[in-house]
Amino acid sequence: TERDCFISYLQQRLDSIVPVKSKLLHVVWDLDDCLIKSKRVGEGLSPPEQHTTIDEEARTRHSILHVDDDLMKFNTVLRPWATLVQGILRIFAKQQIFTSATGGYMQNVVSLLESVSPHCCQHKCIERRLSASDFPPKHLSTHGKDISLFFSSGSESSKSAVLVDDNVKYHLAQPM
């Protein structure tokens, strides 16, 4: 489509730009409803097939059919312009992912983001990742996402960080 051609052109130009060494901004991304849109489409695979988490035959440039580590099956689609925004940000910002989804789900979605964004593979757009699997059950839904976990204690970097998450409850841990 015309949109895909435009994004591809911009991404090629972005790939030629060398990122600044000291990045001033830290962007912490949520996945669902920010970078991607997922819809649960059923239960996972039968036990002999559980090792395959992404259905490669159903994969398209902008979507995957995958099973997470809870054996739930999802159809996940990239949000329009998400990879372009990530490509622009990689020039001057460090990017992390902090999701309330499981680690397996996050891994599947990041593989989709990286497959569509060559500049993210080449320059490692997503530097660190945290998921609900890194915490006790229900921790994130009651305490929020504490983005200071991405920084060493007392680091000035946490003052230039922003959480991009559409769900208000995950902002509980952020200073006002």
Side-chain angles (χ1 to χ4, degrees), residues 67-171:
V67 177
D68 73 358
D69 32 10
D70 289 336
L71 299 181
M72 291 186 279
K73 194 175 199 174
F74 294 92
N75 183 30
T76 298
V77 179
L78 289 173
R79 307 264 317 166
W81 307 102
T83 56
L84 180 62
V85 170
Q86 280 191 290
I88 292 168
L89 285 173
R90 77 148 178 94
I91 297 167
F92 59 89
K94 291 185 178 184
Q95 299 177 70
Q96 286 79 235
I97 286 180
F98 201 156
T99 181
S100 57
T102 63
Y105 177 95
M106 176 182 65
Q107 185 176 355
N108 292 341
V109 172
V110 168
S111 78
L112 173 63
L113 286 165
E114 289 177 344
S115 71
V116 172
S117 306
H119 53 265
C120 283
C121 290
Q122 184 181 3
H123 301 288
K124 196 173 182 197
C125 278
I126 306 299
E127 299 195 7
R128 294 190 56 213
R129 306 167 188 170
L130 286 173
S131 72
S133 302
D134 297 313
F135 300 91
K138 307 231 185 264
H139 177 83
L140 295 178
S141 60
T142 56
H143 299 288
K145 295 177 180 176
D146 183 1
I147 61 175
S148 70
L149 295 172
F150 286 104
F151 310 101
S152 55
S153 64
S155 167
E156 286 296 310
S157 297
S158 63
K159 293 179 180 170
S160 62
V162 61
L163 174 64
V164 180
D165 194 314
D166 65 307
N167 197 322
V168 174
K169 73 180 175 184
Y170 294 119
H171 291 268

